[in-house]
Amino acid sequence: MTSNKYILNWIDEMAAMCGPDKIVWIDGSDAQRDALREEACSTGEMIKLNQDLLPGCYLHKTAVNDVARVEGRTFICTKTKEDAGNINNWMEPSECYSKLSKLYKNSMKGRTMYVIPYSMGIVGSDFAKYGIELTDSIYVVLNMLIMTRVGNDVLDAIGDSADYIKGLHSKADLDEANRYIVHFPEDNTIWSVNSGYGGNVLLGKKCFALRIASFLGRKEGWMAEHMLILGVEYPNGDIKYVTAAFPSACGKTNLAMLIPPVSYREKGYKVWTVGDDIAWLRIGKDGRLWAMNPENGFFGVAPGTNEKSNPNALATTREGAIFTNVCHNLENNTVWWEGLDKNPPHNAENWRGEIWDYTKYDKADKVGTSGAHPNSRFTAKATNCPCLSKEFNNPAGVPVSAIVFGGRRAKTAPLVYQSTSWQNGTFVGSIMASETTAAASGAVGVVRRDPMAMRPFVGYNMGDYWAHWLNMGRLIPHAPKIFHVNWFRTDDEGNFIWPGFGDNLRVLEWILARCDGKVGADITPIGYVPKAEDINIEGLDITVDTIKELLSVDKEAWLADVKNIREFYALVGDRVPDTLYDELDALEARLSD
Ligand code: OXD
Ligand code: MN
């Protein structure tokens, strides 16, 4: 344990409020983990799956009303509302502490309070940051053991310091009306109450590694971003690293674990995964930007994951994983989800725990009729991933050649384009957006602006966040080049034109060739676009004309977008940097030419 008085006093205070029957310190040992698994199975909190087919794997179901992040109930509690900005919900800190204290009062009566010391990043390294999560949920403990580095060495690394993130989680009554996920970035504190869903309760992930860390990054001169990190290995053994920010449900995990097309594999190309969700970026001694993944596992969306779409992710889940809200196959005590294969189990329980009739499945009502919830998840150890980068445990991370932004745009954004500078690239990130598709919602073309894929995750004012991006560009001597991709352009019938998945490597190849100055491009009003013949289509059922179509820039559509961007900037408010308005004006002028 520890003699750190900051930690001990804080735990005393939280325990006095929550009133647990006992307090248990998590030491990171297998023996303690195994005992907790047993206990969770004995109470029904977890189900032990078929250990021959899925060794060390368990199934958990959250409450039916508690299956996703709750943006509407997520707050940034800075002293002033302006510092949280218009995009975040805000509550005055003392009001919030007092309101939530009432919800926590004796919420752990009859329960155990677990103390989880965890590290984001390699324990003891310069890049690591530490947290302690207090929780009344064994499910949270077992997930944190996979997603972060947990143990007594974290307490040793914190030593006598007060420098750690204080996280308090209680399931309380799982009362939706009183569910709160709140952040006090000025106090290094996170409070989460009345939820049991991962994104709301695994406090190391979105709450710490993005919201609190983005705040710290601004203060300390680094960046916390909603980005995957991957390495492309060339036949000569060189590896170049890319980070990419896409909104949820745009394929970050798939891109991070991409399998190269056959013709590339034959030549010796490989792709290595460093991270699938979060990147912490710092300026290295060599003047380049370095990215490290602060997590230790993957909390991936299960539906759609299969042998074809992402065999690496699937392999990652075959041992020591926790499945949440997937379908329970009672035939062999394993799990199933829509898109795993074409053989839904005939004897199964759905994500709600009801007997499930696969013949009633209706795409138009996925939540109501599917076996697995559309947001059902696997929690899996990074070290299970067959394509895990050998740099995964390098405390310094990897040097970044390119930063890629992306969204789901049926028409507007071309397959790929390159910004003209870091400043222009920051602008490209700030106007990122994703459209809902007919398949997803029935309403095509509804644009949600999601700057840098950080709309739900910036721990302070979005305008200040953009200013921080611009500032970092001035500080990085050898900054990565910034690109934008769109895998989701559709033809007039609404079919995707670009094959996506492994073939996205063809686009990454162009991006990296641009970074090395090895390939030309055409300048357009939005930035540099490839010459169609420079996208390798060997082995693809696609012509150069199709690539031309994928790369075309429709000025009218972009001008309509500019209008929408102006409205969004106005919503972000008066801290939007003037430089970004200059970029927007210049874009509009180029489009109107
Ligand atoms: C997300 C996630 O919601 O990674 O972005 O879970
Ligand atoms: Mn994410």
Side-chain angles (χ1 to χ4, degrees):
M1 277 172 39
T2 180
S3 55
N4 180 318
K5 63 180 191 318
Y6 300 105
I7 296 177
L8 296 176
N9 291 345
W10 168 65
I11 294 176
D12 279 352
E13 209 187 308
M14 296 301 106
M17 176 167 72
C18 298
D21 285 9
K22 60 178 178 161
I23 297 178
V24 169
W25 290 70
I26 300 302
D27 60 17
S29 69
D30 287 354
Q32 189 185 44
R33 179 202 60 194
D34 293 347
L36 287 171
R37 284 172 166 176
E38 287 303 314
E39 189 178 336
C41 289
S42 74
T43 61
E45 186 177 349
M46 308 262 272
I47 294 166
K48 191 175 195 164
L49 294 165
N50 183 326
Q51 297 297 295
D52 293 327
L53 298 173
L54 293 169
C57 292
Y58 292 79
L59 170 63
H60 172 78
K61 287 174 184 156
T62 61
V64 173
N65 71 11
D66 189 24
V67 292
R69 286 187 291 103
V70 278
E71 289 179 20
R73 310 207 62 91
T74 300
F75 288 76
I76 301 295
C77 301
T78 42
K79 282 193 202 78
T80 71
K81 180 167 169 31
E82 290 69 34
D83 284 343
N86 297 335
I87 296 295
N88 285 311
N89 300 311
W90 175 81
M91 229 188 292
E92 196 279 320
S94 55
E95 180 196 331
C96 186
Y97 279 126
S98 123
K99 186 181 176 101
L100 267 62
S101 294
K102 296 191 185 86
L103 303 176
Y104 282 116
K105 190 77 201 156
N106 291 328
S107 62
M108 296 189 189
K109 206 163 177 354
R111 300 179 186 171
T112 300
M113 174 190 267
Y114 298 97
V115 180
I116 314 170
Y118 66 95
S119 174
M120 302 313 292
I122 308 290
V123 183
S125 71
D126 290 349
F127 273 32
K129 297 239 170 232
Y130 307 117
I132 296 182
E133 176 164 356
L134 309 178
T135 179
D136 53 5
S137 159
I138 296 181
Y139 170 76
V140 167
V141 174
L142 295 173
N143 273 273
M144 287 293 284
L145 286 169
I146 297 173
M147 293 304 297
T148 69
R149 295 162 172 93
V150 174
N152 290 333
D153 52 346
V154 175
L155 294 172
D156 295 342
I158 298 174
D160 293 335
S161 154
D163 188 13
Y164 67 96
I165 303 300
K166 295 171 277 199
L168 174 65
H169 164 250
S170 174
K171 292 180 289 188
D173 311 317
L174 297 176
D175 173 7
E176 214 174 350
N178 279 309
R179 184 167 297 154
Y180 288 96
I181 321 298
V182 305
H183 308 71
F184 305 91
E186 290 146 346
D187 297 347
N188 284 341
T189 296
I190 305 161
W191 279 12
S192 164
V193 66
N194 276 313
S195 176
Y197 168 74
N200 300 326
V201 299
L202 308 180
L203 301 186
K205 194 173 178 63
K206 302 299 187 183
C207 299
F208 178 173
L210 286 176
R211 297 193 189 98
I212 298 284
S214 62
F215 180 93
L216 293 176
R218 173 165 173 253
K219 213 164 67 179
E220 298 167 3
W222 55 281
M223 304 160 92
E225 298 297 332
H226 192 199
M227 289 176 175
L228 66 89
I229 312 167
L230 66 78
V232 175
E233 181 173 337
Y234 290 82
N236 69 1
D238 277 359
I239 304 181
K240 293 267 162 33
Y241 294 94
V242 172
T243 64
F246 304 150
S248 304
C250 289
K252 276 208 324 290
T253 305
N254 289 346
L255 185 65
M257 298 183 188
L258 173 156
I259 302 224
V262 181
S263 59
Y264 281 74
R265 285 208 298 276
E266 282 169 2
K267 286 184 198 127
Y269 281 85
K270 296 188 180 105
V271 168
W272 300 108
T273 309
V274 183
D276 80 327
D277 195 42
I278 298 175
W280 284 2
L281 304 163
R282 298 183 196 229
I283 305 171
K285 290 194 184 71
D286 61 359
R288 290 188 290 174
L289 191 65
W290 287 67
M292 73 86 146
N293 172 9
E295 300 192 278
N296 204 25
F298 306 115
F299 183 62
V301 176
T305 307
N306 60 50
E307 270 308 337
K308 228 175 142 243
S309 67
N310 196 337
N312 287 320
L314 198 59
T316 303
T317 67
R318 299 294 91 175
E319 185 267 319
I322 299 171
F323 297 94
T324 303
N325 296 338
V326 297
C327 178
H328 189 189
N329 181 347
L330 299 173
E331 287 161 23
N332 58 3
N333 191 24
T334 60
V335 289
W336 190 85
W337 49 79
E338 279 67 21
L340 174 64
D341 55 39
K342 296 213 158 52
N343 309 309
H346 294 199
N347 179 14
E349 262 176 26
N350 66 14
W351 62 274
R352 298 169 200 264
E354 305 154 345
I355 291 299
W356 179 60
D357 180 353
Y358 72 96
T359 63
K360 303 260 163 62
Y361 176 67
D362 175 3
K363 235 180 164 172
D365 176 19
K366 285 190 187 165
V367 172
T369 64
S370 61
H373 188 277
N375 190 37
S376 56
R377 300 278 176 152
F378 56 81
T379 317
K381 293 183 278 191
T383 48
N384 279 5
C385 180
C387 56
L388 191 70
S389 163
K390 62 179 188 326
E391 303 299 336
F392 175 73
N393 279 321
N394 183 339
V398 293
V400 182
S401 297
I403 292 175
V404 180
F405 295 123
R408 183 185 280 270
R409 304 301 300 267
K411 297 287 170 214
T412 326
L415 179 62
V416 57
Y417 69 101
Q418 182 188 356
S419 65
T420 52
S421 63
W422 179 278
Q423 175 178 308
N424 178 251
T426 301
F427 170 70
V428 169
S430 80
I431 66 170
M432 248 175 78
S434 241
E435 282 159 16
T436 52
T437 63
S441 72
V444 179
V446 178
V447 176
R448 172 180 147 104
R449 305 231 83 97
D450 188 353
M452 286 82 169
M454 284 287 279
R455 185 175 182 145
F457 306 121
V458 178
Y460 58 103
N461 187 307
M462 182 66 80
D464 293 339
Y465 167 74
W466 291 338
H468 178 50
W469 260 84
L470 292 168
N471 203 31
M472 286 297 291
R474 288 176 208 115
L475 299 175
I476 310 167
H478 308 293
K481 304 274 187 275
I482 302 179
F483 298 79
H484 188 282
V485 299
N486 174 26
W487 317 132
F488 301 96
R489 264 213 189 179
T490 54
D491 61 20
D492 293 341
E493 276 86 53
N495 305 307
F496 295 123
I497 306 173
W498 179 248
F501 298 103
D503 290 310
N504 292 334
L505 180 58
R506 299 167 189 272
V507 175
L508 294 182
E509 189 184 27
W510 182 82
I511 285 173
L512 289 168
R514 282 297 290 168
C515 295
D516 280 346
K518 286 187 182 148
V519 67
D522 290 331
I523 187 74
T524 73
I526 62 167
Y528 297 109
V529 167
K531 293 176 189 302
E533 54 281 7
D534 288 334
I535 299 290
N536 178 9
I537 50 173
E538 180 192 352
L540 274 187
D541 202 11
I542 270 189
T543 64
V544 177
D545 282 342
T546 310
I547 298 291
K548 278 194 184 130
E549 188 188 332
L550 281 166
L551 294 173
S552 63
V553 177
D554 176 343
K555 288 192 186 179
E556 289 311 311
W558 273 91
L559 280 169
D561 220 34
V562 165
K563 236 178 109 215
N564 183 282
I565 295 164
R566 281 202 193 281
E567 284 163 20
F568 181 63
Y569 274 16
L571 177 69
V572 173
D574 54 13
R575 294 206 192 167
V576 175
D578 290 343
T579 326
L580 293 187
Y581 273 111
D582 294 344
E583 286 283 342
L584 183 56
D585 292 343
L587 172 65
E588 190 170 28
R590 290 192 300 269
L591 289 165
S592 311
D593 237 10

